[in-house]
Amino acid sequence: MRRRILTLMGCVLAIVSISAFTTFEKQEDPRPTNLKVLPKNISSEELEGTMKAFNAALGVKCGHCHAPGEKGLDFASDANPNKQVAREMMKMTTKINKKYFKNHEKDGVLLQIGCGTCHNGQAEPQMHTISR
């Protein structure tokens, strides 16, 4: 009995000793790939915030622009044509903001257009006809 206790205590001591000197590296989120409009050095938090803003502005989920993959969505894939449309829309709003809204401030806030300006929470912006 005494021998079993000593063996058990030896095993516990060995496990504690090994785990005390073993370092566990935190796995970082994999860097996003295939970024063509967004900055290549965008942080995971900024990217997630940007994507959530798109979701809200267009009233869609991630699968609206991202193609399905083997394990969920394949964020790097260009298979979904809506992704290229989104890229072109981002380029368009950037150009409009640089040309027309670079100095539009109100109460210390820079006023610029974004997805929600036209989309208003809809995947397809509502078009209005103007009679002449």
Side-chain angles (χ1 to χ4, degrees):
M1 179 72 171
R2 186 173 182 180
R3 188 172 187 187
R4 283 186 180 167
I5 293 173
L6 288 174
T7 304
L8 182 60
M9 287 178 62
C11 289
V12 170
L13 182 62
I15 292 170
V16 170
S17 298
I18 291 170
S19 64
F21 295 105
T22 304
T23 58
F24 297 98
E25 291 183 32
K26 180 185 173 193
Q27 288 186 341
E28 292 186 28
D29 292 335
R31 298 298 309 153
T33 57
N34 198 22
L35 294 176
K36 295 183 179 176
V37 178
L38 294 170
K40 306 253 188 275
N41 63 346
I42 191 169
S43 72
S44 296
E45 293 81 23
E46 288 175 306
L47 181 59
E48 186 174 337
T50 300
M51 293 298 121
K52 285 182 179 180
F54 292 159
N55 293 148
L58 277 70
V60 297
K61 301 225 182 258
C62 303
H64 183 76
C65 294
H66 294 288
E70 291 180 20
K71 298 179 182 178
L73 294 175
D74 182 354
F75 295 111
S77 171
D78 288 333
N80 187 333
N82 287 336
K83 187 174 187 179
Q84 186 57 35
V85 172
R87 286 178 174 141
E88 295 304 319
M89 298 296 271
M90 289 167 39
K91 290 178 193 176
M92 177 190 72
T93 55
T94 299
K95 285 179 186 176
I96 292 170
N97 284 325
K98 281 183 180 177
K99 185 171 183 176
Y100 298 105
F101 296 100
K102 64 181 173 185
N103 297 317
H104 283 70
E105 275 191 49
K106 182 176 182 181
D107 300 326
V109 176
L110 185 62
L111 301 176
Q112 294 189 324
I113 67 162
C115 304
T117 305
C118 298
H119 283 269
N120 294 304
Q122 303 296 315
E124 296 290 327
Q126 187 176 11
M127 303 298 286
H128 299 281
T129 56
I130 300 172
S131 302
R132 291 185 185 195

